[in-house]
Amino acid sequence: MGSSWQIFFVSLLLTHLLTLSVAQETPLYHICSNDIGNFTTNSTYQTNLDRLPPFFTSNSKNNYGFYNVSIGQNSDKVNSIALCRGDVQPNVCLSCINNATVELRNRCPNQKEAVLWYDNCMFRYSNRSIYGEGSGAAIYMWNPYNTTNASAFNDALGTLLDSPKTRAASGDSRPKFATGTSAVLPFKTIYALAQCTPDLSQLQCTSCLDDSITQIPICCNGKRGGRVVGRSCNLRFKIYLGMTTGSHRAETPSPSPSSPMTSMEIPTAILMENQK
């Protein structure tokens, strides 16, 4: 009996800590699209927007972390898309999305279109159709530390990115997510991640990721880690010291073991191209 209660208590504690850590997660960035238009208080559009969170709460869990919810009719219709990083557990995914639905409303109180990114998920909504829309780079972030041999690192990274890009784009209507690793210099390995929203076609996903790859020399040349994040796709990479296997786990623990891409990264200005 004592052992059972100990197991129950530990499980309850871990669940609480996990929920707390997700709840305290800080958004990476958000965009309120002022050029799309605003809605008025107590309007039908606001009512439809307020109805979104329960849909994600009650939505059955899936194993690929993509949700597409539309509520309302005609000009008052709210279209929303949510996507979790492909290696995030379903319970963490839904917690992240539910946090995002609340946080984005707070940050963009009356805009008809907005998007917010957490490390674990992305959430966006609009009064126009956004399903199947390929939208490229929006923001980029980078690790402040440089690699010791930028030329060798860039060569290895360029070769590495092609594989997860191709595999992510060729995914079916559910997951479009892939990772890869590549050795660079003694005792170092690059880990890369590529992902698209599953509503994109193979061609759209490839184009979106290609656009993201072209931004890397601008934002993250020779950096130990970086990411290019958009509404429809995202690309990330990070170098691990002392890593000699194909696993993405580093010998030196990252801040969050469940988030291999978490690192010291600095957000920069929004890229205005491909923004709608």
Side-chain angles (χ1 to χ4, degrees):
M1 178 66 70
S3 177
S4 299
W5 274 107
Q6 287 179 344
I7 293 174
F8 172 77
F9 176 76
V10 171
S11 300
L12 189 63
L13 179 61
L14 290 175
T15 301
H16 172 72
L17 291 175
L18 177 61
T19 303
L20 185 62
S21 66
V22 173
Q24 292 178 340
E25 185 181 7
T26 302
L28 299 177
Y29 212 89
H30 72 280
I31 300 174
C32 307
S33 298
N34 295 309
D35 57 334
I36 300 298
N38 298 335
F39 61 85
T40 57
T41 302
N42 297 324
S43 64
T44 302
Y45 190 85
Q46 179 180 345
T47 300
N48 291 334
L49 199 54
D50 290 339
R51 293 170 59 197
L52 278 179
F55 274 81
F56 292 109
T57 302
S58 60
N59 206 326
S60 59
K61 297 179 180 179
N62 57 48
N63 60 359
Y64 55 98
F66 176 68
Y67 299 89
N68 171 44
V69 178
S70 295
I71 301 176
Q73 301 293 328
N74 303 320
S75 61
D76 293 317
K77 187 175 184 178
V78 178
N79 302 293
S80 68
I81 284 178
L83 177 71
C84 290
R85 202 177 65 232
D87 55 353
V88 171
Q89 294 298 315
N91 61 324
V92 178
C93 172
L94 284 178
S95 294
C96 184
I97 293 172
N98 283 307
N99 287 341
T101 61
V102 175
E103 186 66 26
L104 189 55
R105 289 298 310 280
N106 292 335
R107 294 179 178 236
C108 305
N110 65 345
Q111 284 82 2
K112 288 187 175 181
E113 179 170 305
V115 57
L116 180 143
W117 295 271
Y118 279 104
D119 186 60
N120 287 329
C121 70
M122 176 275 297
F123 173 70
R124 60 185 296 212
Y125 60 80
S126 178
N127 64 329
R128 61 186 180 84
S129 176
I130 55 177
Y131 188 87
E133 172 198 82
S135 179
I139 61 171
Y140 43 64
M141 307 176 71
W142 65 89
N143 187 295
Y145 297 104
N146 294 320
T147 58
T148 55
N149 189 329
S151 178
F153 179 80
N154 290 339
D155 289 344
L157 178 62
T159 302
L160 168 62
L161 290 176
D162 189 60
S163 176
K165 179 195 75 172
T166 301
R167 287 184 286 114
S170 62
D172 59 19
S173 60
R174 293 179 296 174
K176 286 189 180 292
F177 172 82
T179 63
T181 60
S182 177
V184 54
L185 303 180
F187 312 114
K188 295 181 182 180
T189 296
I190 311 172
Y191 172 82
L193 175 158
Q195 184 174 22
C196 294
T197 54
D199 56 316
L200 299 190
S201 67
Q202 181 172 351
L203 181 61
Q204 285 176 312
C205 180
T206 299
S207 177
C208 190
L209 291 173
D210 278 339
D211 179 64
S212 297
I213 290 173
T214 63
Q215 302 300 326
I216 290 178
I218 300 173
C219 72
C220 317
N221 186 36
K223 298 298 183 182
R224 292 186 180 180
R227 68 178 83 186
V228 180
V229 183
R231 292 173 171 86
S232 301
C233 68
N234 66 86
L235 189 74
R236 312 182 189 190
F237 69 90
K238 185 176 180 181
I239 193 169
Y240 287 101
L241 305 178
M243 190 171 176
T244 58
T245 69
S247 169
H248 63 251
R249 301 288 183 190
E251 291 184 5
T252 302
S254 60
S256 174
S258 63
S259 302
M261 296 309 296
T262 300
S263 62
M264 292 180 60
E265 291 173 327
I266 305 171
T268 191
I270 300 171
L271 301 175
M272 298 310 296
E273 61 266 27
N274 297 320
Q275 298 302 301
K276 296 184 179 181

